[in-house]
Amino acid sequence: MGLTKQQMQMVTVLVIGAFLVVLNQTLLTPALPTIMDHLNVGATTVQWLTSGYSLVEAVIIPLNAYFLGRFATRRIFLGGMGLFAVGSTLCAAAPSFAFLMAGRICQACATGVVMPSVFALVLLVFPKERRGSAMGIIGLIVSFAPAVGPSLSGMLVDSIGWRALFVTVVILAAAILVMGFFMMRNFEGFARTSFDGLSVVLLALGMVAMLYGLSTFTSSALPALSVALMVAGAAVLALFARRQMRLKVPVLKVSVLKNRQFRIASLIIIVLEAVLIGSGVIVPMYLQNALGDTATMSGLIMFPGAALGAFCGLLAGRIFDARGVRGVAVTGAIVLLVGGAGYATFSPSTPVLVICLVYTIACLGVQCLITPLNTWGFNALPNDEIPHGNAIVSAFEQIGASLGTAFVVSLTAVPALLGAGGVSGAEQAAAGCHAAFFGVLGLIAVIAVGIIVFVRDRKPEPRSAALEPSDEIPGIDRPWYVTDVMNAEPDTLAPASTVREAIDLMQRRETSGLPIVDVEGAVLGFLSDGDILKRLSRNDLSRLEGDSYLVLLQTESVKQRLSAMLDTLALDLATKRVVSVDADESAEVAFRMLSERRIKKMPVVRDGRFVGTLSRSNIMGALAVLEQTER
């Protein structure tokens, strides 16, 4: 994928860590009914192990930019996994629900640190035209956790007990800590940010008030109090958003939501997470409390949906890269609607295989949507706003999971609230779960409407119908496009090119930088003269004044470093986070990109393939032609 060995090691360790923390979330769902019986708590209480977990994550995730700007990547990861191991140990030994909840809070804090690091690195390392496939692959690895989690959980709960889940997690966390100690490397370049305590307090208070009000609405003796808490929570969150807009360095840069495409994707993802996590909680409850099945059976029924959904996410990412978002999103919405309609038909006589099929269809629909919508939203942001967008989406995912769980579980109390008494516990559980399934179907309908109305491929600005005549001049008779200005036959480097070959080609062609392109036309990196000088002068330049490179080249250490560097791969020195522009983009947009990002040259792509380069000298040449034409 064009990563250096160091980057590959770092991403590998991060993805394995992310796999474990996601596994930890899904391990618990089949065990919730057993925990309810063992610790003598009800459904609206036990759901806090899931919704509270997501709530804490939602508060911690916005601090990720602060952590990355203040602490080394290696220290953040090892510290987060250490806290995760401590929380898991507390859960394994918990004598009561309060201790179990405290351990889950520790786990959630660690997850809030680990998870955003994975996706932030993926989005920044890979070029825009390859992010769909990259996120699909990462999503495939991480999504195997929901596939393995419920099945493993069911077998452990039935054979040993629910505490065995957390013992297993402790052992795996310890192994990852050892791997991280030896393989994790620091990733530099994150901006240093400040910490605003009031923002964190507002976010936490607003989320707790909304979640508690929603989760107790159907079971509280004072429903008006629950409504008041939800209203108060929304008001506090509005204050939080307002404060972020005014802070010079916000905790969560909510201003990225001004981008319409990113905002639409983020809002739909909130509801998608509510459906995904809410379904994952209510299906085991239905199987065990209403139908009397075992935890093992719950896990086995959920396995195909999670496993096939993981591959579906990978495929959806590749389809997005090739054909855009509209087709794959509408298809995913239709599949998800079919699954939601299936939920609404469940009854005590529904065969277990039908329940498994419906759950699998719903999972496929969700995974068809998450990767393309995420990538579609992020592609609308400039690279320097991606870390902020990643924090927003990660927080929104946890908000959706938290509120979705509380909403769906609260619906299970509706039949009892309406006076459906005089029935057995299993019948009452079935009626409650049926109400929850209708709630899930309602959320799915919201998703489908949002996708059909708002999610569309970005169409390039239409070209003039009179483009064909050869006497038309760009900038006079029609708009300028990048393809009008770019160098369509630039020099490039192959992935196997050495630094020696790159320097020779730069000197012969009198160019300041060269793209590195593979045989399929994908841009793997961009090597500039600045990259080479930076490597040569990483220790010596701080002792120089001005641009005295002649002095630099006369130092013995630089000569030795140059000799050692000449036969290394140019890709090892090149910038991997390449800024590129589409060939059919407006030239004005491209000019602004060069200016705002302070770069001299960038690759031009079409359908993800390299077709040329655009530099400041190309622009000046085009302007000279235009000036002569206007004379």
Side-chain angles (χ1 to χ4, degrees):
M1 283 192 176
L3 299 183
T4 65
K5 181 180 179 180
Q6 178 178 327
Q7 288 173 324
M8 183 61 75
Q9 287 180 340
M10 178 173 59
V11 171
T12 299
V13 175
L14 285 170
V15 170
I16 294 175
F19 177 88
L20 177 61
V21 297
V22 174
L23 176 70
N24 174 69
Q25 288 179 289
T26 58
L27 272 175
L28 204 58
T29 50
L32 292 178
T34 304
I35 293 174
M36 289 168 60
D37 292 337
H38 190 267
L39 298 182
N40 195 27
V41 294
T44 54
T45 299
V46 80
Q47 64 89 20
W48 278 92
L49 294 176
T50 300
S51 61
Y53 190 103
S54 299
L55 169 63
V56 174
E57 274 195 81
V59 175
I60 296 298
I61 284 172
L63 301 178
N64 198 253
Y66 170 79
F67 293 143
L68 289 172
R70 292 279 176 159
F71 305 104
T73 308
R74 185 173 184 271
R75 181 180 298 180
I76 291 173
F77 181 78
L78 294 178
M81 289 307 302
L83 179 61
F84 185 79
V86 170
S88 302
T89 304
L90 183 58
C91 288
S96 66
F97 183 81
F99 280 89
L100 180 58
M101 191 69 224
R104 290 288 285 175
I105 290 173
C106 289
Q107 288 182 325
C109 289
T111 303
V113 171
V114 171
M115 282 299 292
S117 302
V118 176
F119 292 101
L121 288 172
V122 169
L123 289 167
L124 289 174
V125 168
F126 288 93
K128 182 179 292 187
E129 62 273 9
R130 300 182 66 191
R131 286 177 186 160
S133 298
M135 289 188 71
I137 292 173
I138 300 299
L140 172 64
I141 297 170
V142 174
S143 294
F144 266 113
V148 174
S151 303
L152 177 62
S153 173
M155 290 185 289
L156 288 174
V157 170
D158 286 340
S159 60
I160 303 176
W162 62 268
R163 296 182 189 276
L165 303 178
F166 296 106
V167 173
T168 303
V169 170
V170 170
I171 295 171
L172 294 175
I176 292 173
L177 274 171
V178 174
M179 291 175 58
F181 183 82
F182 290 104
M183 297 176 62
M184 191 67 186
R185 298 292 183 269
N186 289 324
F187 187 89
E188 301 176 353
F190 295 100
R192 188 177 178 87
T193 61
S194 59
F195 177 80
D196 184 63
L198 180 57
S199 294
V200 177
V201 171
L202 289 173
L203 179 62
L205 288 178
M207 286 297 302
V208 169
M210 281 195 68
L211 181 61
Y212 188 78
L214 183 60
S215 63
T216 59
F217 178 71
T218 57
S219 59
S220 174
L222 295 172
L225 178 61
S226 299
V227 173
L229 283 172
M230 287 188 279
V231 172
V236 173
L237 289 176
L239 289 175
F240 166 80
R242 183 181 181 186
R243 181 170 179 80
Q244 302 318 294
M245 297 292 288
R246 294 184 174 185
L247 286 174
K248 185 176 181 180
V249 183
V251 171
L252 196 63
K253 193 175 180 181
V254 297
S255 60
V256 297
L257 292 171
K258 292 180 179 179
N259 185 297
R260 182 177 182 273
Q261 182 171 313
F262 179 76
R263 182 173 66 251
I264 290 170
S266 301
L267 293 176
I268 294 176
I269 285 170
I270 289 179
V271 191
L272 271 172
E273 285 294 323
V275 169
L276 179 63
I277 304 302
S279 300
V281 170
I282 205 66
V283 167
M285 286 187 177
Y286 180 70
L287 290 166
Q288 295 177 55
N289 294 344
L291 302 186
D293 285 318
T294 63
T296 300
M297 181 59 73
S298 298
L300 291 174
I301 286 173
M302 298 171 74
F303 176 79
L308 294 176
F311 285 101
C312 189
L314 175 62
L315 178 62
R318 291 183 175 178
I319 293 174
F320 170 86
D321 283 343
R323 301 191 176 184
V325 72
R326 177 71 176 178
V328 69
V330 171
T331 301
I334 293 172
V335 173
L336 186 55
L337 272 173
V338 172
Y343 284 149
T345 65
F346 284 175
S347 70
S349 61
T350 302
V352 170
L353 288 178
V354 173
I355 296 175
C356 178
L357 177 62
V358 169
Y359 182 77
T360 299
I361 291 173
C363 285
L364 293 178
V366 170
Q367 295 299 336
C368 269
L369 294 172
I370 286 181
T371 297
L373 287 175
N374 253 326
T375 313
W376 179 68
F378 282 123
N379 279 355
L381 300 177
N383 275 2
D384 58 346
E385 290 189 351
I386 281 179
H388 302 284
N390 181 63
I392 287 279
V393 169
S394 298
F396 276 11
E397 286 176 342
Q398 301 313 315
I399 289 171
S402 184
L403 295 180
T405 302
F407 170 69
V408 170
V409 173
S410 68
L411 290 178
T412 62
V414 169
L417 186 68
L418 297 177
V423 297
S424 67
E427 290 174 327
Q428 187 167 337
C433 290
H434 200 60
F437 285 134
F438 269 98
V440 171
L441 179 57
L443 294 176
I444 291 173
V446 171
I447 293 169
V449 171
I451 287 173
I452 292 171
V453 174
F454 297 111
V455 177
R456 301 185 181 278
D457 292 305
R458 180 185 177 187
K459 296 181 180 179
E461 185 179 346
R463 298 193 177 204
S464 171
L467 240 179
E468 293 183 2
S470 59
D471 59 345
E472 287 200 353
I473 305 299
I476 298 178
D477 298 312
R478 63 173 177 83
W480 286 75
Y481 295 92
V482 172
T483 188
D484 296 319
V485 186
M486 71 180 191
N487 178 6
E489 297 181 355
D491 295 300
T492 62
L493 295 172
S497 298
T498 64
V499 175
R500 185 190 305 275
E501 293 169 336
I503 292 175
D504 179 64
L505 186 57
M506 285 182 186
Q507 190 214 6
R508 285 189 289 109
R509 298 296 189 181
E510 296 183 351
T511 183
S512 62
L514 296 165
I516 303 174
V517 183
D518 66 15
V519 292
E520 297 180 351
V523 180
L524 305 181
F526 192 93
L527 182 68
S528 68
D529 50 11
D531 294 324
I532 296 173
L533 289 173
K534 183 179 179 181
R535 175 65 66 89
L536 285 175
S537 61
R538 63 175 184 262
N539 295 323
D540 303 83
L541 191 59
S542 60
R543 297 195 295 268
L544 299 176
E545 295 182 359
D547 296 323
S548 303
Y549 290 116
L550 290 177
V551 176
L552 171 67
L553 293 174
Q554 291 171 1
T555 61
E556 192 63 31
S557 62
V558 170
K559 293 179 182 178
Q560 294 172 353
R561 198 176 302 147
L562 176 62
S563 177
M565 184 181 68
L566 286 175
D567 293 319
T568 62
L569 290 177
L571 190 60
D572 291 342
L573 272 67
T575 299
K576 307 299 187 308
R577 289 174 281 174
V578 181
V579 177
S580 62
V581 64
D582 193 274
D584 298 317
E585 181 63 87
S586 165
E588 182 181 353
V589 172
F591 298 167
R592 189 165 60 249
M593 288 174 64
L594 289 172
S595 175
E596 291 178 353
R597 297 172 187 274
R598 299 180 180 179
I599 53 180
K600 299 177 182 178
K601 180 190 293 186
M602 60 182 172
V604 179
V605 297
R606 179 180 283 121
D607 297 328
R609 296 179 180 274
F610 177 78
V611 294
T613 58
L614 179 69
S615 66
R616 296 182 182 182
S617 61
N618 296 143
I619 296 172
M620 296 308 295
L623 291 176
V625 171
L626 179 62
E627 187 271 334
Q628 292 174 4
T629 305
E630 289 182 334
R631 285 183 182 179

